[in-house]
Amino acid sequence: MSQRLLYVMDPMCSWCWGFAPVVEELASQAARAGVRLDWVVGGLRQERSPLGEPARARILAHWQAVSDETGQPFNFDAGLPEGLVYDTEPACRALVVARHLAPRRAARLARLIQRAFYLEGRDVTQARVLLELAEAAGFARCCFAEAFDSAEQRAATRADFAWVERLGIAGFPTLLAERNGMLALLTNGHQPLERLAPLLERWLGRVAHA
């Protein structure tokens, strides 16, 4: 019998940052039952032009709403640095590379990317920044850089985006439970731990008694 959790997210999605403490606890809950959590990237935005001031103001207002609901901190002064092209593909690809090289470090890299973007005001669309963060997560810089630039990992990232689109997942975070190829939706969007932990516990119980 095969079972796992699938966490569909984007490291530059503010609701995913808001959900970070919740999914960390849910991953631990699942791990205690012998069920792993795998990361799938969604490709939130693929812009080609730098953010203008009106767009920056709208996004910062959205960040404030996320912070108000989830309690997660944001650096509103340093956020969205000048000249940022809000293309989430490179950050998503970094997680795909991490998943390929050392799956257990993917969560750590995701947290480092999120912290760099939301708390430190760093431009995580830049390869040099992502390589620094990957090194901090424990990856060998040269190996990570080679994989990050490879056609194989670019294609793997596009495959994640296409899978998410085929499922009709329109928002992040989304958490799915998979058993023998059958998917069950635990949440589409942020929900507090006290609501999701019992749902996951019931699913884990069914898995244990199957």
Side-chain angles (χ1 to χ4, degrees):
M1 183 174 61
S2 172
Q3 61 269 333
R4 60 177 176 161
L5 298 182
L6 290 167
Y7 180 39
V8 185
M9 58 86 72
D10 190 298
M12 296 177 71
C13 159
S14 54
W15 280 111
C16 295
W17 170 237
F19 193 61
V22 177
V23 77
E24 187 172 349
E25 289 296 329
L26 294 175
S28 296
Q29 180 182 352
R32 290 192 292 272
V35 174
R36 75 179 191 272
L37 181 142
D38 288 338
W39 295 64
V40 180
V41 293
L44 177 67
R45 298 170 68 109
Q46 297 181 60
E47 304 291 342
R48 293 293 175 263
S49 300
L51 280 179
E53 191 53 39
R56 183 177 186 273
R58 285 196 301 272
I59 294 171
L60 289 176
H62 182 72
W63 286 11
Q64 184 64 64
V66 174
S67 182
D68 290 345
E69 179 163 335
T70 68
Q72 278 286 79
F74 288 79
N75 186 335
F76 296 102
D77 294 330
L80 305 174
E82 185 176 354
L84 174 72
V85 177
Y86 209 139
D87 177 9
T88 72
E89 191 276 344
C92 285
R93 186 171 9 123
L95 292 190
V96 171
V97 171
R99 190 179 68 195
H100 169 69
L101 294 177
R104 292 184 179 180
R105 293 184 192 156
R108 175 162 173 73
L109 180 57
R111 299 291 179 267
L112 288 173
I113 294 172
Q114 289 173 317
R115 290 184 65 84
F117 186 51
Y118 290 109
L119 297 181
E120 299 166 13
R122 301 180 70 185
D123 185 350
V124 298
T125 71
Q126 300 298 311
R128 60 174 179 78
V129 175
L130 292 168
L131 291 178
E132 289 173 10
L133 296 172
E135 196 169 25
F139 293 93
R141 189 184 183 104
C142 59
C143 294
F144 196 94
E146 182 179 356
F148 183 77
D149 287 334
S150 70
E152 177 187 3
Q153 295 308 310
R154 291 176 187 273
T157 305
R158 292 194 299 270
D160 268 28
F161 294 173
W163 185 85
V164 170
E165 186 175 355
R166 284 197 303 273
L167 280 187
I169 296 173
F172 315 121
T174 291
L175 188 62
L176 304 167
E178 182 184 53
R179 179 183 171 203
N180 295 333
M182 300 295 291
L183 294 173
L185 178 66
L186 292 178
T187 185
N188 175 230
H190 176 274
Q191 291 195 62
L193 180 64
E194 55 268 25
R195 188 174 302 166
L196 292 178
L199 293 178
L200 178 57
E201 191 62 35
R202 285 198 291 274
W203 183 81
L204 292 171
R206 287 195 294 270
V207 167
H209 292 95

